Amino acid sequence: MEAIPATDPVGPPPSPPPPPPGLTGSPAPSTRRRAGWTAAVVAALLAAVVLSLAVGSRTIPPDRVLDALLHGGDDATAGVVRSLRLPRTLIGLMTGAALAMAGVVMQGVTRNPIADPGILGVSQGASLGVVLAIAAAGVHTLAGQVWFAFAGAAVASVAVYAIASRGRGGASPVKLALAGAAINALLVSVISGILTTRASALEEFRFWQIGSLAGRDQEIAGQMWPFLLLGTVLVFSVARGLDALALGEDLARGLGRNVAAVRILAGAGATVLTGVGVAAAGPIAFVGLAVPHIARALVGGDHRRLLPMAALLGPVVLLLSDVVGRVIYADSEVPAGVMTALIGLPFLVALARRRTVAA
């Protein structure tokens, strides 16, 4: 009899599914290239800080800026630098970093390349908190409104996760996105209803809603940093889990990751970061959407490298947008939230047209 060749009834193990389109980009750059890009971004960040301190309706030479920071002084130049531009720059640094890292985490948790910090209702929750602070509690200072905005962001995030986690499958990316959209729509309706009946609060809220670094003082900067530190620790603690989650839930469990714990910790960190950024500067657009993609193109999709790069790039984008907004009109300034939207809109159109992102 002719022997029948032996065959493997099992066959080779299936290869792991690829991460979702738009979340990995090109292969990870080499170590030398990553180091070069990191050095370039650090230099850009330093330049953005100098410009933020020196440029405005009154341009101050960098040496005078440095002298005002190191030696103080009672002249008008030192007052402008220390009392107005330094707090504004510090808040821009922290807000840019917070929103950029939150965007990275939101895109990782939802596996959606066009997710941003507002996808889980966090931004609208903060907006509702500010409206209630103005209309119900009579709080009319930015330093007081920060706490209401942060509380609103936290409550909205918890509500979204509670809704998405019900039923079979738990809080899947699709259910999180749908629950976030539903909560967003509800909060927008509530905010509109309150402002319709309290017209006196409309003008004050509109200033905050645009998103701006103007008028923020040292007190707000002091309130921000503990929450920024907490959110940063939370998102960095699940960086490896986000890498595994990008391969799919089943493979992440096979690698020993607790998917629910990764989602909860990542969502909590992103909520804290988004809440503190939106509370301090308003809902700044496109930083959380565009910066993660730029950072991913520079250092690859490993979240242990992606999160630090986003934390460096976010302040660069926000501070430069704020500087351009200050000088674009001679007699006034364009809020940073408007400038980031103008800069980010072409990026969003290009992202939507990419075949790798298209469904």
Side-chain angles (χ1 to χ4, degrees), residues 6 22 36 89 134 156 205 230 250 261 292 332 338:
T89 302
I134 298 170
F205 172 72
L230 173 62
D250 293 338
S332 183
V338 175

Side-chain angles (χ1 to χ4, degrees), residues 107-182:
Q107 291 175 9
V109 169
T110 63
R111 301 181 69 201
N112 183 350
I114 59 173
D116 71 348
I119 194 172
L120 298 185
V122 180
S123 295
Q124 290 301 332
S127 299
L128 179 59
V130 171
V131 169
L132 292 176
I134 298 170
V139 178
H140 302 288
T141 63
L142 288 172
Q145 293 166 4
V146 163
W147 298 105
F148 285 85
F150 187 79
V155 171
S157 181
V158 170
V160 169
Y161 191 85
I163 294 172
S165 61
R166 296 180 64 86
R168 296 181 58 184
S172 66
V174 174
K175 291 170 68 177
L176 282 170
L178 291 175

Side-chain angles (χ1 to χ4, degrees), residues 41 96 100 287 291 294-296 298 308-318:
V41 172
V287 173
V291 169
I294 300 172
R296 197 173 289 113
L298 298 182
M309 178 57 74
L312 292 173
L313 273 172
V316 173
V317 172
L318 184 53

Side-chain angles (χ1 to χ4, degrees), residues 291-327:
V291 169
H293 288 278
I294 300 172
R296 197 173 289 113
L298 298 182
V299 298
D302 187 338
H303 283 81
R304 290 170 296 172
R305 301 187 183 99
L306 182 57
L307 285 166
M309 178 57 74
L312 292 173
L313 273 172
V316 173
V317 172
L318 184 53
L319 288 177
L320 291 180
S321 299
D322 186 48
V323 170
V324 172
R326 292 186 220 172
V327 301

Side-chain angles (χ1 to χ4, degrees), residues 168-356:
R168 296 181 58 184
S172 66
V174 174
K175 291 170 68 177
L176 282 170
L178 291 175
I183 292 295
N184 264 321
L186 173 63
L187 293 178
V188 168
S189 300
V190 173
I191 291 170
S192 299
I194 294 175
L195 292 177
T196 299
T197 58
R198 297 290 184 92
S200 59
L202 178 59
E203 188 65 29
E204 191 173 346
F205 172 72
R206 188 166 57 185
F207 171 77
W208 179 87
Q209 178 71 9
I210 293 173
S212 175
L213 301 179
R216 274 64 179 174
D217 56 24
Q218 195 73 35
E219 184 179 359
I220 295 179
Q223 293 171 345
M224 286 183 67
W225 73 263
F227 296 102
L228 176 64
L229 179 62
L230 173 62
T232 301
V233 170
L234 286 174
V235 297
F236 272 86
S237 68
V238 293
R240 288 181 177 272
L242 290 173
D243 290 337
L245 196 60
L247 301 174
E249 294 182 22
D250 293 338
L251 189 55
R253 291 190 181 94
L255 294 173
R257 299 293 175 184
N258 187 330
V259 173
V262 169
R263 284 207 180 112
I264 291 173
L265 288 176
T271 297
V272 172
L273 291 172
T274 304
V276 70
V278 173
I284 302 289
F286 288 103
V287 173
L289 171 63
V291 169
H293 288 278
I294 300 172
R296 197 173 289 113
L298 298 182
V299 298
D302 187 338
H303 283 81
R304 290 170 296 172
R305 301 187 183 99
L306 182 57
L307 285 166
M309 178 57 74
L312 292 173
L313 273 172
V316 173
V317 172
L318 184 53
L319 288 177
L320 291 180
S321 299
D322 186 48
V323 170
V324 172
R326 292 186 220 172
V327 301
I328 195 170
Y329 288 117
D331 300 328
S332 183
E333 69 175 69
V334 180
V338 175
M339 294 307 304
T340 56
L342 292 175
I343 294 171
L345 181 59
F347 179 87
L348 179 61
V349 172
L351 183 65
R353 291 176 61 88
R354 283 179 53 189
R355 285 183 298 174
T356 54

